[in-house]
Amino acid sequence: MTLTATATTATAPAPAGAHPKTGTVEIRCPDGGWLAVCGPDDLTPGRGVAALLPDGSQAALFLDRAGRIHAIGNRDPFTGAQVLSRGLTGSAAGRPFVASPLLKQRFDLATGDCLDDPEVSVPAYGVRVRGPERKAAQSGARAH
């Protein structure tokens, strides 16, 4: 499902590293294209949202407490279940993470690396917010 938010009012600038609060959140897909997912106001700090990507895989989007939006693969590599969007969020050594709701392994929201097993990771996707003026605020991702 794709949700689109439209905004017509101006907002104050977001803190450094944070995304704007209006516009449309887009995920950079594995094929290089961008997929509109939701509005920034649809995201709640500490709670994930799952998105179906065009290739059939899923991404988990998170808004951290600093206002940054992250997207990683939703599939827990330890169980194969699509559950990371339902995990508990936190931070370790300043790195935001989500803990799988099943076996509790923690995944770095910026890189997709498993903080508990350095041999395991999930994809990390680029995220941007496209506003009404067609400007984009982007966060990078690492290819897997």
Side-chain angles (χ1 to χ4, degrees):
M1 174 164 68
T2 302
L3 301 174
T4 304
T6 57
T8 57
T9 59
T11 60
H19 284 282
K21 295 190 183 298
T22 61
T24 301
V25 176
E26 297 180 341
I27 298 175
R28 181 117 190 174
C29 297
D31 68 4
W34 291 93
L35 176 69
V37 177
C38 62
D41 288 342
D42 294 323
L43 301 174
T44 302
R47 294 184 178 236
V49 173
L52 182 62
L53 302 180
D55 68 358
S57 64
Q58 292 184 24
L61 278 86
F62 296 92
L63 175 65
D64 69 19
R65 303 247 180 242
R68 294 179 303 252
I69 301 171
H70 304 276
I72 62 171
N74 196 35
R75 184 179 174 276
D76 179 341
F78 293 94
T79 65
Q82 302 281 355
V83 295
L84 293 182
S85 63
R86 300 293 174 232
L88 301 172
T89 60
S91 65
R95 296 168 67 180
F97 69 80
V98 62
S100 171
L102 299 178
L103 300 177
K104 309 302 185 237
Q105 285 88 359
R106 300 168 300 156
F107 296 90
D108 186 305
L109 291 178
T111 65
D113 292 337
C114 180
L115 302 179
D116 302 301
D117 185 342
E119 300 296 315
V120 178
S121 65
V122 296
Y125 301 103
V127 175
R128 69 183 181 188
V129 177
R130 304 265 308 178
E133 297 87 28
R134 308 288 300 166
K135 293 180 182 173
Q138 298 185 12
S139 67
R142 191 182 60 171
H144 284 262

